Amino acid sequence: MYSQDELKRWNIKTRALYEYWLSIHPSESTLPGRQHMDPIDIPQLLPNVWLVDISHNPFRFKFRLFGTAHVEAMKHDYTGRWIDEVYPDFTSSDTYSDYIHLAKKARPSHRCGAASFHIPDYKSIERIMLPLAQNGIDVDMMLALTVYL
């Protein structure tokens, strides 16, 4: 998926979550699901981790878990909230396209760059979004991590 040269340029937390996700794959041809994750395995990453439930037909995304680093950065805890309700312009954003691509193609998404308008105290971020599928195939959740810079 990502080369070792690419991974060397990533933040240590971003790289650690990606490597953890790779390590919990039940097989080369299937995705891990939430049932394969154990928070005890990644305690140092938990403040930066967030989980999103993915509904299909139509696509909708809900924050399932919002780590403490996100609560601090966004000055609000959005756990349990639909993203399009929290951010009304979400469905017209580039970020929404990233979410749709991840859900349809079951491929990770990495981004390093300018922070969005909803993160006022930070200039840039590094983010990894990783697909999860309870049945190993159909993406129903996203495991993600953001580092605020």
Side-chain angles (χ1 to χ4, degrees):
M1 304 229 185
Y2 292 102
S3 72
Q4 286 300 314
D5 286 338
E6 288 175 293
L7 295 177
K8 287 178 187 175
R9 293 188 296 266
W10 290 10
N11 180 281
I12 191 168
K13 289 182 178 183
T14 308
R15 187 172 56 246
L17 188 66
Y18 178 70
E19 290 171 350
Y20 174 71
W21 176 77
L22 289 174
S23 77
I24 63 172
H25 274 67
S27 74
E28 286 188 29
S29 61
T30 59
L31 290 169
R34 171 63 186 90
Q35 71 272 20
H36 298 105
M37 292 177 50
D38 189 341
I40 291 173
D41 295 337
I42 54 169
Q44 72 283 10
L45 304 179
L46 293 178
N48 297 82
V49 166
W50 42 290
L51 290 171
V52 174
D53 289 322
I54 300 173
S55 295
H56 296 260
N57 299 321
F59 277 112
R60 251 185 124 193
F61 304 90
K62 182 190 277 187
F63 289 119
R64 172 178 256 208
L65 172 79
F66 215 61
T68 56
H70 304 298
V71 173
E72 182 180 311
M74 296 182 191
K75 303 184 184 341
H76 194 82
D77 184 354
Y78 293 117
T79 300
R81 302 275 313 271
W82 291 103
I83 298 174
D84 59 348
E85 291 176 356
V86 172
Y87 303 110
D89 57 349
F90 173 67
T91 57
S92 62
S93 71
D94 290 339
T95 302
Y96 180 74
S97 298
D98 288 345
Y99 281 44
I100 295 292
H101 188 262
L102 178 135
K104 287 183 175 180
K105 303 292 183 185
R107 301 228 180 251
S109 172
H110 176 262
R111 181 174 91 77
C112 214
S116 299
F117 64 92
H118 59 275
I119 311 169
D121 296 339
Y122 297 89
K123 299 287 184 212
S124 61
I125 63 160
E126 183 172 345
R127 178 197 75 202
I128 185 83
M129 300 187 316
L130 305 160
L132 298 175
Q134 184 174 355
N135 67 6
I137 298 166
D138 302 308
V139 178
D140 57 6
M141 190 177 290
M142 176 193 314
L143 168 63
L145 178 140
T146 302
V147 177
Y148 299 93
L149 308 166

